[in-house]
Amino acid sequence: MPDYPFLALSDTHPPLVDWSAFNQVIRAIDEYKPKLIVHIGDALEGKFTSRHEGDERHRWSPIQEMEACAKTFRAINEAAPDAHKVWVFGNHDSNLLEYNPGRKDSDTIELLRTAFEVKVKGTGALDGWHVVDRYSHSRAWRIGQLTFRHGCDASDAGLRQDLYSYCTPHGLHVSGHTHRPQQVTQLVQGKALTPFWSANTGCLMDVSQAYYMDRARKDLWGHAYVVGTVHAPGLKEGRCNYAGKRWEAETRIIRLFGENWAPNRLAN
């Protein structure tokens, strides 16, 4: 079995996509030719079901959001028509597409799901994609020693616990959610190295438009993506606990938004 190159991205948040950064990822797909592409969630902004109060500066319609979402998936399809492609739901995707008839806004969600079916799935933008259409702490997609998971926590303690809970021994846990790029980093417990690694894809959204997060430390955010290779025989089912890791990976930074970004925060 030959080596298996992959690329992971996340947090595009259409229509708030930073198209300059996103197009750099498309060029990387064209050059790197991954056999696997994973979008680790928040492929939708979902402002119409957000718990945050809406900002009057965000004036797009549900249809415009869906059309922007479809545009991102079509661009990936065109760059890598033969790659295996996976979309792992993030919290924004879940808010919009997981219908719960008990919610007060269930009628709105049903209309949005209909728009999604027509403007995204109906245009073929998701043709060939495997969709992990549930979001929870434990929800992930795995291949060999790699775990792709959107993430639910942003604290250092939470991120450490995620590695112990969801990463396989000698494996790499690739996540998004925090919008904070992280280089591939081996977890240190006390003074001892552990057999767990993590990386974060950052985001690909226009950070200046994330008004609802103005209270947060956006200076730690950045545009990035993760590329790597799974080495044979690292893809055999049921063979996660190797004597050593069977993969290589790196986080490629496009842009950072503050001077306080620390690539090895998790290991310190």
Side-chain angles (χ1 to χ4, degrees), residues 109-150:
I109 293 175
E110 186 62 23
L111 289 172
L112 293 169
R113 291 183 74 210
T114 300
F116 177 80
E117 292 289 329
V118 173
K119 291 297 182 179
V120 181
K121 294 181 68 174
T123 62
L126 285 176
D127 287 355
W129 285 78
H130 171 65
V131 181
V132 183
D133 58 353
R134 291 284 302 278
Y135 171 74
S136 69
H137 279 269
S138 60
R139 200 71 168 174
W141 189 82
R142 294 180 174 87
I143 183 169
Q145 295 173 311
L146 304 184
T147 299
F148 297 95
R149 178 174 161 273
H150 181 70

Side-chain angles (χ1 to χ4, degrees), residues 16 58 179 205-214 218 221:
L16 303 180
H58 286 166
H179 298 182
M205 71 183 299
D206 182 348
V207 172
S208 68
Q209 298 295 308
Y211 304 124
Y212 56 86
M213 290 298 290
D214 283 345
K218 289 196 292 186
W221 292 12

Side-chain angles (χ1 to χ4, degrees), residues 7 11-13 71 87 96 117 122-123 156 168 172 187 197 199 207 220 228 247 251 260-261:
L7 182 146
D11 295 272
T12 42
H13 290 271
K71 181 179 178 180
W87 173 15
L96 191 63
E117 292 289 329
T123 62
D156 286 349
T168 67
L172 174 64
L187 178 64
W197 284 260
V207 172
L220 302 179
W247 52 268
T251 301
N260 298 323
W261 184 77

